[in-house]
Amino acid sequence: MYLIKANFYDDFYIYKDGILIMTATRKYIWFAGVKIQVFSKENELLLSYRYFNFFISFIKIKYQKLPEKIELMRNKWRNIWININNQRIDLKFNFPLQKKMAIIKINGENSAIVRQKVISSDLNYEIEFHKESELEIYCILFFLMNISTIESL
């Protein structure tokens, strides 16, 4: 199981089975959204992207050093998903937000459940995969991309 910990408007810490595997730093830029950089536990930059939300959400990947390249895709209704080697990862949020916050799908198949816990000013997101997959880390990164600024809801 994966655990993502954050404090409101602070950095994200990503754990797998209690071990820190990644850190995501956020820098808020006035009227330009949020710049997020994801680092491995060895402090190596893995991914850098910018998130901007003004009526429509925009995510733009600036840099990536991952084993497989992430391609952001969107349709005419502005739904966003990612492709990795012709495999599609979707994220569907439950609105209004509930304890079972979202479902992650790989190639249309339910693969993981995201649960949210708010403890005072701390946020905890638990991501539980139904079966092991080599795309787990990409699912985690895509989830981070989608909650980069909405975590205070």
Side-chain angles (χ1 to χ4, degrees), residues 37-92:
Q37 293 183 314
V38 181
F39 296 92
S40 68
K41 65 181 177 183
E42 292 85 21
N43 237 6
E44 178 182 5
L45 181 62
L46 299 175
L47 180 69
S48 178
Y49 62 94
R50 178 165 265 150
Y51 183 98
F52 182 73
N53 190 358
F54 187 74
F55 296 114
I56 298 174
S57 296
F58 295 98
I59 300 172
K60 184 169 184 176
I61 296 175
K62 300 287 191 176
Y63 172 84
Q64 58 180 302
K65 185 179 179 185
L66 298 164
E68 303 294 333
K69 185 179 178 192
I70 293 175
E71 292 180 77
L72 278 174
M73 310 296 284
R74 61 177 46 97
N75 62 15
K76 62 183 176 182
W77 294 285
R78 305 302 255 172
N79 294 332
I80 299 173
W81 68 90
I82 60 173
N83 272 343
I84 296 127
N85 284 341
N86 295 323
Q87 296 200 52
R88 179 176 171 157
I89 298 175
D90 291 291
L91 180 65
K92 182 180 180 286

Side-chain angles (χ1 to χ4, degrees), residues 72-132:
L72 278 174
M73 310 296 284
R74 61 177 46 97
N75 62 15
K76 62 183 176 182
W77 294 285
R78 305 302 255 172
N79 294 332
I80 299 173
W81 68 90
I82 60 173
N83 272 343
I84 296 127
N85 284 341
N86 295 323
Q87 296 200 52
R88 179 176 171 157
I89 298 175
D90 291 291
L91 180 65
K92 182 180 180 286
F93 285 96
N94 293 322
F95 287 104
L97 292 180
Q98 306 162 3
K99 186 176 180 181
K100 189 188 286 185
M101 179 181 180
I103 296 172
I104 298 173
K105 294 182 178 187
I106 299 175
N107 295 325
E109 193 176 302
N110 288 355
S111 298
I113 296 173
V114 181
R115 292 182 182 87
Q116 178 183 23
K117 294 181 180 179
V118 179
I119 304 167
S120 66
S121 64
D122 293 333
L123 295 168
N124 290 338
Y125 301 101
E126 293 177 348
I127 302 177
E128 183 179 343
F129 287 88
H130 302 306
K131 60 183 177 182
E132 203 168 300

